[in-house]
């Protein structure tokens, strides 16, 4: 199972830490099981035939998988570490659900299942609009049994979006409905699909009109581009309608994936490219990260060749790799990854530490941490990783651990990864953002406790929503004046740096997942507040000598962290919390500024 870490490719190339999600909303009967067996008369074929060679295997598998996804029992991906073996698992679900097996899935069938399942989920709202328009009445559509609805969705997607031969689509889906349900269901599928074919051929498919007020236009756009209305309204407000449409088009396109060469095992990108050439997998080199290669097709071939099982590479989006660049892990660092599982960023950071230092991987999920630990062994980076199963909030309160760098890759809405997580758009509600924001603030407060003075805190998400990103950082800085923003322009290319010095990847602009990261420095003001003067110069000198090693920066950057000394209000709050004597207040201010000058001279002496 260790290899599964990076292989849920349709759901996410690197399992992003999205917050808890609910099953898809359209569940016609909560008490309905996945089985389609009925007490009434059944098709004779259903009673006697366990192996049906007439039914299309990829359509049977797709229909059952779509039912499982909608009822919350599966993800939208098919590929996993077993490669072709995953087809056997899927056929087992078909037999238990439909009562028969089809012929085994070949490579072409597996690709079709991936395309049809992902595409049908992405375009669900649009497909349902078409199906509802072609039904006799709205009640017939809303009361449609789950399996019949999935068969129709598959047929509509194949005809409208995949441009498959209409006669084959109609024939195969009618047969599936008759065998898995009853002859009458097949007749219904036949009538609706034939009506669709006629409308498509005459270029007269029913479409909503983009007119009226903002709400009406948002509803129309939500159908045309198949997204929840609340997302459309939110993006239109923040981005404008044109950019919102481009974002939805990106989310609906087939995703591309990036693979990272595992330098921890001595694998270079050139080694990876050689393997891809042998497998005849089209690829292109990442222009942003030295260890990354992009692939649009052929991922299944890479998996079946065993490159991931052998730990030679991992599926990881470049947006996630750039977050690691913001952390800037170095040999000898002490790093905490606060919400580590499944561990994509943990493993990448560990590979850059070259066996020196310590990386503490904290996560509340013991099972996923166990997988992370096994994968670390496979990638030969386990020597620097210590896993800690714990709720970060509890751990931070009870532990004295202080680290050079702390990464909080926080649970979030996942609005930046909707291209890969096809089903996530239907699981998210606007109300979820409020719950997530509260959790993000609690985790940020806890993570800050683990940062030593002069250390780095990186807050990151796979969201493009400002309320989860910039606004959470601003709220945190108000609560924690001992932290300040450290611009990321030294760590990532200029095109990813915002005006305020944050890292942000834009799916449309950068052709990768949307992500955000803020790099924050914990200033030395806590030591100032505790020592009340610069009498203990040993502490300060150790910080001065250690600074360039830990942060790769010079005296200017080091002194920037002390700028709170020159800010009236923060210093006043710090001092007045410990004294009410005005004379002592002024005297202490002079001693501290004198001490800072001493530090500067000491640094210059050391540099000379």
């Amino acid at each position: 199972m260790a290899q599964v870490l990076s292989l849920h490719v349709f759901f996410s190339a690197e399992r992003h830490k999205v917050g808890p999600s609910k099953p898809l909303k359209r569940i016609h009967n909560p008490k309905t099981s996945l089985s389609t067996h009925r007490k009434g008369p059944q098709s004779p074929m259903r009673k006697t035939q366990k192996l049906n060679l007439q039914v299309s295997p990829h359509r049977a598998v797709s229909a059952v998988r779509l039912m499982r996804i909608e009822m919350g029992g599966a993800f939208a991906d098919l590929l996993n570490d077993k490669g072709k073996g995953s087809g056997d698992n899927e056929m087992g679900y078909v037999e238990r659900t439909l009562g028969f097996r089809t012929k085994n899935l070949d490579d072409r069938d597996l690709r079709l299942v991936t395309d049809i399942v992902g595409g049908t989920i992405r375009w669900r709202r649009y497909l349902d609009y078409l199906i509802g328009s072609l039904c006799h009445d709205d009640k017939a559509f809303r009361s449609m049994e789950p399996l019949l609805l999935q068969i129709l969705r598959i047929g509509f997607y194949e005809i409208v979006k995949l441009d498959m031969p209409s006669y084959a689509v109609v024939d195969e889906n009618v047969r599936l409905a008759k065998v898995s349900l009853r002859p009458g269901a097949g007749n219904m599928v036949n009538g609706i699909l034939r009506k669709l074919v006629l409308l498509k051929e005459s270029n007269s498919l029913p479409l909503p009109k983009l007119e009226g007020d903002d709400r009406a236009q948002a509803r129309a756009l939500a159908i045309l581009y198949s997204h929840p209305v609340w997302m459309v309204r939110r993006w239109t407000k923040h981005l404008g309608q044109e950019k919102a449409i481009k974002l939805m088009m990106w989310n609906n396109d087939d995703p591309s994936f990036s693979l990272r060469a595992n330098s921890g095992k001595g694998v270079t990108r050139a080694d990876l490219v050689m393997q891809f050439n042998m497998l005849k997998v089209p690829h292109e080199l990442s222009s942003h990260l030295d260890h990354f290669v992009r692939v649009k097709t052929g991922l299944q071939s890479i998996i079946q060749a065993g490159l991931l099982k052998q730990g030679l590479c991992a599926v990881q989006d470049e947006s996630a790799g750039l977050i690691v660049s913001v952390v800037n892990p170095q040999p000898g660092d002490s790093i905490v990854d606060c919400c580590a599982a499944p561990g994509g960023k943990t493993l990448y950071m560990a590979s850059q530490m070259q066996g020196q230092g310590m990386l503490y991987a904290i996560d509340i999920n013991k099972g996923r941490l166990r997988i992370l630990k096994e994968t670390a062994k496979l990638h030969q980076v386990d020597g620097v990783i210590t896993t800690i199963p714990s709720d970060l909030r509890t751990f931070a309160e009870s532990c004295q651990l202080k680290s050079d760098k702390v990464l909080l890759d926080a649970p979030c809405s996942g609005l930046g990864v909707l291209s890969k997580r096809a089903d996530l758009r239907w699981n998210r509600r606007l109300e979820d953002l409020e719950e997530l924001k509260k959790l993000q603030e609690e985790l940020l407060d806890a993570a800050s406790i683990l940062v030593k003075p002069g250390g780095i805190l990186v807050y990151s998400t796979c969201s493009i929503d400002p309320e989860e990103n910039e606004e959470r950082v601003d709220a945190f800085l108000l609560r924690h004046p001992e932290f300040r923003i450290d611009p990321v322009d030294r760590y990532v290319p200029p095109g990813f740096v915002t005006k305020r010095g944050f890292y942000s990847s834009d799916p449309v602009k950068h052709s990768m997942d949307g992500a955000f990261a803020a790099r924050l420095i914990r200033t030395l003001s806590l030591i100032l507040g505790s020592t009340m003067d610069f009498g203990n110069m040993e502490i300060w000198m150790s910080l001065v000598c250690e600074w360039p090693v830990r942060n790769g920066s010079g005296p200017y950057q080091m002194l920037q962290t002390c700028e709170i000394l020159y800010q009236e209000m923060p210093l006043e709050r710090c001092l007045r919390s410990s004294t009410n004597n005005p004379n002592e207040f002024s005297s202490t201010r002079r001693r501290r500024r004198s001490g800072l000058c001493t530090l500067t001279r000491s640094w210059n002496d050391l540099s000379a």
Side-chain angles (χ1 to χ4, degrees):
M1 281 294 292
Q3 304 89 294
V4 178
L5 177 65
S6 303
L7 296 177
H8 291 304
V9 293
F10 224 106
F11 196 35
S12 171
E14 180 204 19
R15 180 70 71 192
H16 295 276
K17 298 173 186 65
V18 298
S21 60
K22 286 81 176 171
L24 300 187
K25 292 182 180 179
R26 186 182 172 88
I27 299 177
H28 302 271
N29 184 354
K31 298 180 180 179
T32 301
S33 70
L34 288 178
S35 174
T36 60
H37 290 285
R38 294 169 173 270
K39 295 181 180 180
Q42 296 180 358
S43 166
M45 298 178 70
R46 280 287 303 277
K47 292 180 179 179
T48 60
Q49 192 168 355
K50 288 293 183 181
L51 178 63
N52 191 314
L53 300 179
Q54 303 302 314
V55 172
S56 166
H58 77 261
R59 290 185 176 89
V61 168
S62 296
V64 171
R65 173 160 278 267
L66 286 167
M67 287 179 61
R68 294 177 59 224
I69 292 167
E70 187 151 331
M71 294 184 176
F75 299 135
D77 62 315
L78 175 63
L79 298 176
N80 59 24
D81 64 317
K82 296 181 180 179
K84 293 173 69 174
S86 62
D88 295 334
N89 298 336
E90 294 300 316
M91 198 54 68
Y93 285 117
V94 169
E95 184 173 17
R96 290 192 293 274
T97 305
L98 306 183
F100 62 86
R101 297 178 67 92
T102 71
K103 65 180 180 180
N104 292 330
L105 296 169
D106 57 24
D107 289 346
R108 177 180 176 277
D109 290 325
L110 284 170
R111 287 192 294 271
L112 281 170
V113 171
T114 301
D115 290 344
I116 290 172
V117 170
T120 302
I121 292 174
R122 286 188 183 90
W123 289 101
R124 193 187 81 175
R125 190 181 189 93
Y126 173 68
L127 298 174
D128 285 356
Y129 176 82
L130 292 179
I131 295 171
S133 299
L134 271 60
C135 283
H136 295 299
D137 56 61
D138 187 62
K139 184 178 179 182
F141 169 67
R142 296 191 177 279
S143 62
M144 196 174 290
E145 54 199 300
L147 179 58
L148 179 58
L149 177 60
Q150 301 303 345
I151 293 172
L152 281 172
R153 284 173 175 169
I154 290 170
F156 272 58
Y157 178 72
E158 290 177 327
I159 291 172
V160 175
K161 293 298 180 181
L162 295 184
D163 289 321
M164 287 186 173
S166 56
Y167 66 88
V169 174
V170 174
D171 184 61
E172 293 288 350
N173 283 288
V174 167
R175 183 179 292 115
L176 176 59
K178 286 183 176 181
V179 173
S180 60
L181 291 168
R182 58 197 174 278
N187 295 336
M188 182 178 182
V189 170
N190 181 62
I192 294 176
L193 288 183
R194 288 188 182 279
K195 190 183 298 185
L196 174 69
V197 172
L198 291 175
L199 291 173
K200 184 173 185 289
E201 290 176 348
S202 62
N203 197 28
S204 54
L205 289 174
L207 294 174
K209 294 181 179 180
L210 191 59
E211 59 186 15
D213 59 15
D214 291 344
R215 290 177 178 270
Q217 291 192 33
R219 287 194 293 269
L221 288 171
I223 293 171
L224 290 170
Y225 297 98
S226 195
H227 278 70
V229 175
W230 73 265
M231 285 188 191
V232 177
R233 295 190 65 193
R234 197 171 185 85
W235 291 338
T236 302
K237 174 184 175 181
H238 290 306
L239 305 174
Q241 188 177 102
E242 183 179 353
K243 288 185 177 180
I245 289 174
K246 289 181 178 179
L247 177 59
M248 290 187 285
M249 291 173 65
W250 164 267
N251 291 339
N252 289 334
D253 198 9
D254 292 333
S256 60
F257 300 96
S258 295
L259 292 102
R260 173 178 59 82
N262 179 17
S263 59
K265 209 167 186 175
V267 180
T268 66
R269 182 163 69 174
D271 297 330
L272 211 55
V273 167
M274 184 175 65
Q275 294 283 346
F276 292 172
N277 287 335
M278 291 174 60
L279 295 170
K280 298 182 179 179
V281 173
H283 60 273
E284 61 177 287
L285 303 182
S286 167
S287 57
H288 311 300
L289 294 162
D290 294 338
H291 298 99
F292 285 68
V293 182
R294 288 187 178 188
V295 297
K296 186 73 175 180
T297 60
L299 185 57
Q300 191 175 87
S301 299
I302 295 170
I303 293 170
Q304 292 177 4
L307 300 188
L308 291 106
K309 277 187 176 182
Q310 298 169 42
L312 303 180
C313 61
V315 179
Q316 186 169 39
D317 196 77
E318 291 169 274
S319 63
L322 287 166
I323 289 174
V324 172
S325 297
V326 171
V327 178
N328 189 34
Q330 298 294 321
D333 273 345
S334 169
I335 302 176
V336 177
D337 191 350
C338 291
C339 298
K345 297 180 185 68
T346 309
L347 297 173
Y348 187 23
M349 287 191 292
S351 71
Q352 295 191 339
M353 294 172 70
Q354 301 175 15
Q356 303 175 46
M358 185 53 64
L359 203 168
Y360 302 94
I362 304 173
D363 201 272
I364 197 170
N365 191 313
K366 294 182 179 180
R368 300 215 302 173
L369 270 187
R370 184 170 59 251
I371 294 174
L372 190 160
K373 195 171 184 178
E374 293 170 358
T375 310
K377 291 180 181 178
L378 177 70
H379 285 216
Q380 296 181 3
V381 294
D382 54 308
V384 297
I385 295 178
T386 298
T387 57
I388 303 173
S390 177
D391 185 316
L392 173 65
R393 294 163 292 187
T394 304
F395 177 82
E397 290 177 357
S398 59
C399 182
Q400 299 300 314
L401 176 67
K402 304 290 182 184
S403 292
D404 303 314
K405 295 165 183 175
V406 175
L407 169 63
L408 173 61
D409 192 36
C412 67
S413 64
L415 295 182
V417 297
L418 297 184
S419 172
K420 292 186 175 72
R421 285 203 54 174
D423 52 340
L424 183 59
R425 70 185 71 178
W426 309 120
N427 293 343
R428 277 286 168 255
R429 303 171 305 157
L430 182 59
E431 295 80 5
D432 295 337
L433 288 181
E434 293 303 317
E435 299 174 12
L436 286 168
K437 282 156 53 178
K438 182 176 183 295
L439 175 61
Q440 289 157 359
E441 293 196 343
E442 291 175 357
L443 293 174
L444 253 175
D445 290 340
S448 68
I449 299 174
L450 305 178
V451 184
K452 74 179 188 180
I456 301 297
L457 171 62
V458 174
Y459 170 74
S460 66
T461 72
C462 57
S463 174
I464 56 174
D465 196 284
E467 289 190 13
E468 296 185 90
N469 298 335
E470 293 89 347
E471 291 186 22
R472 295 284 62 72
V473 174
D474 290 339
F476 171 79
L477 292 175
L478 286 175
R479 298 193 305 273
H480 297 270
E482 71 273 20
F483 281 87
R484 57 173 293 275
I485 298 170
D486 181 27
V488 302
D489 53 351
R490 290 179 291 156
Y491 308 102
V492 298
F496 295 93
V497 183
T498 70
K499 292 181 180 179
R500 297 185 59 193
F502 300 136
Y503 157 74
S504 176
S505 60
D506 182 295
V508 177
K509 178 181 177 181
H510 301 118
S511 297
M512 63 178 68
D513 290 342
F516 169 88
R519 182 178 165 101
L520 309 172
I521 292 180
R522 183 170 196 162
T523 66
L524 307 180
S525 58
L526 287 186
I527 289 183
L528 300 183
S530 61
T531 60
M532 290 302 295
D533 57 31
F534 283 87
N536 191 347
M537 288 301 296
E538 291 182 4
I539 296 177
W540 286 94
M541 291 303 298
S542 67
L543 287 171
V544 170
C545 296
E546 189 178 295
W547 187 270
V549 177
R550 294 298 187 205
N551 297 277
S553 57
Y556 175 72
Q557 286 78 17
M558 186 275 288
L559 293 177
Q560 273 190 317
T561 67
C562 300
E563 68 180 9
I564 194 171
L565 291 169
Y566 297 101
Q567 297 173 4
E568 183 74 17
M569 292 308 296
L571 180 61
E572 184 174 344
R573 285 198 300 267
C574 178
L575 294 177
R576 286 182 176 170
S577 64
S578 57
T579 178
N580 292 318
N581 189 327
N583 294 329
E584 184 178 348
F585 176 87
S586 300
S587 175
T588 303
R589 179 187 297 278
R590 288 193 297 272
R591 289 200 305 273
R592 290 183 178 181
R593 289 188 171 174
S594 174
L596 183 58
C597 295
T598 303
L599 278 176
T600 307
R601 289 194 297 272
S602 299
W603 172 267
N604 292 333
D605 292 341
L606 288 168
S607 302

